Amino acid sequence: QEQLVESGGGLVQPGGSLRLSCEASRGTLDYYAIGWFRQAPGKEREAVSCISDSTTRYSEAVKGRFTISRDKDKKTMYLQMNSLKPEDTAIYYCVADCPGILTGWGGLMIRGQGTQVTVSS
């Protein structure tokens, strides 16, 4: 089964930036739509962003601060996160088909193991 691999998480101060990356274990992110969701301790998962063709979508919580993109060769997808806030602290997952934005949450998700983002002073 295809696996997605995230990287780029870490600890950052409020107002700082991080860039998350997502790659496919088989080499190419060959999905029409791919995106990110996050889950903080004790909270429900939250769709963050999605890219399909050249269309990008964002949750209201991150709009204007986060930017999603993908390489033309579709090998890597990125989430540039600026002006980070403590409430952005969560595990961030790369996910195919953008559940929570383009599809429902039900069914088998093709996603990675997640990368921890902690925003704290």
Side-chain angles (χ1 to χ4, degrees):
Q1 182 180 349
E2 174 75 280
Q3 290 185 346
L4 306 179
V5 181
E6 304 92 342
S7 61
L11 172 64
V12 64
Q13 292 186 343
S17 298
L18 283 174
R19 188 174 81 159
L20 306 184
S21 299
C22 173
E23 297 179 322
S25 60
R26 296 181 182 178
T28 302
L29 296 170
D30 193 16
Y31 303 100
Y32 168 71
I34 191 164
W36 298 88
F37 74 93
R38 65 187 182 186
Q39 188 158 26
K43 295 186 178 180
E44 292 191 0
R45 55 194 171 188
E46 174 190 12
V48 172
S49 184
C50 176
I51 185 166
S52 56
D53 287 339
S54 59
T55 300
T56 57
R57 296 173 174 87
Y58 302 93
S59 69
E60 287 300 318
V62 307
K63 193 175 294 183
R65 300 187 297 121
F66 291 10
T67 303
I68 191 171
S69 62
R70 65 195 302 181
D71 287 349
K72 289 183 179 180
D73 60 8
K74 293 188 177 181
K75 290 185 177 180
T76 309
M77 179 186 63
Y78 303 99
L79 185 68
Q80 178 67 42
M81 306 186 297
N82 298 329
S83 301
L84 283 161
K85 304 175 181 180
E87 51 263 44
D88 294 318
T89 296
I91 299 175
Y92 283 71
Y93 299 88
C94 171
V95 62
D97 302 328
C98 299
I101 296 178
L102 296 183
T103 67
W105 286 105
L108 180 64
M109 282 196 294
I110 298 174
R111 64 169 179 86
Q113 292 301 306
T115 185
Q116 176 71 49
V117 171
T118 302
V119 184
S120 175
S121 56

